[in-house]
Amino acid sequence: MQRARALLAFCCLILSTMGTPSADFCSHILHTNVKPGFPKTIETNNPEVRKAARLSVERFNNCTNDIFLFKESHISKALVQIVKGLKYMLDVQIARTICKKNKHPNLDNCDFQTNHTLKQTLSCYSEVWVIPWLQKFEVPVLQCH
Ligand SMILES: *[C@@H]1O[C@H](CO)[C@@H](O)[C@H](O)[C@H]1NC(C)=O
Ligand SMILES: *[C@@H]1O[C@H](CO)[C@@H](O)[C@H](O)[C@H]1NC(C)=O
């Protein structure tokens, strides 16, 4: 666990240096009428919020060397802010599933662990930045404990 945590911190460090927007992206921004706004609460069952939570957990899975995949189990709070696209800020619980990572299963079909030794739930805060018109996303912040 200690090792996974160190790895995760390392991943986040790398991620935070990857935010350089492309020229394509910048030209779009110049021609958009959307004004930056303050974060607003949004329903946790909103499909876009669910998608953002899934992206967070996928990023988590990419960053850890656990044998099993984790999946989002509960979204307790969600905020959205318009910043060059949409930025979601989520409090999300993730838990270990019975699906092995190396089998590349679809997370939708993965049940949570019931084995007491393997059961694990983490509380995460994540920020997911989605640029719908470019079908791009980033997970610049992901903190789990
Ligand atoms: C996880 O890694 C895969 C393969 O490297 C990549 O295609 C995918 O975009 C990554 N997902 C996230 C949320 O970072
Ligand atoms: C739970 O998982 C542990 C570790 O993999 C394993 O040794 C144990 O047999 C499992 N218990 C059950 C009830 O499946």
Side-chain angles (χ1 to χ4, degrees):
M1 189 56 223
Q2 202 62 30
R3 198 162 150 219
R5 227 177 262 178
L7 199 64
L8 191 61
F10 178 61
C11 271
C12 295
L13 208 65
I14 294 178
L15 293 176
S16 63
T17 63
M18 294 197 327
T20 326
S22 66
D24 178 15
F25 169 77
C26 292
S27 73
H28 190 102
I29 289 298
L30 293 175
H31 298 105
T32 185
N33 289 323
V34 184
K35 301 273 191 295
F38 292 106
K40 288 196 178 81
T41 3
I42 179 170
E43 296 276 347
T44 53
N45 61 4
N46 177 296
E48 298 307 312
V49 169
R50 291 182 161 279
K51 229 183 273 175
R54 177 57 62 89
L55 289 172
S56 307
V57 81
E58 281 175 359
R59 176 50 56 94
F60 177 88
N61 288 330
N62 276 3
C63 284
T64 52
N65 49 8
D66 202 285
I67 294 166
F68 298 96
L69 291 172
F70 278 65
K71 180 164 105 171
E72 69 281 6
S73 54
H74 180 68
I75 305 169
S76 51
K77 191 177 173 193
L79 297 172
V80 64
Q81 182 178 20
I82 297 171
V83 268
K84 308 169 186 168
L86 294 168
K87 189 167 100 175
Y88 295 94
M89 285 148 277
L90 310 175
D91 288 331
V92 57
Q93 265 185 10
I94 66 173
R96 188 179 278 129
T97 69
I98 58 172
C99 288
K100 291 209 170 141
K101 216 187 242 187
N102 61 10
K103 301 243 165 74
H104 305 289
N106 182 342
L107 261 189
D108 286 329
N109 306 327
C110 294
D111 294 327
F112 293 111
Q113 286 283 355
T114 49
N115 181 321
H116 285 293
T117 321
L118 293 171
K119 235 180 180 175
Q120 192 185 10
T121 302
L122 298 172
S123 296
C124 304
Y125 170 75
S126 74
E127 294 185 359
V128 183
W129 185 38
V130 185
I131 311 158
W133 58 85
L134 292 181
Q135 283 156 21
K136 273 173 96 175
F137 70 87
E138 279 178 34
V139 185
V141 178
L142 177 61
Q143 292 155 354
C144 297
H145 61 267

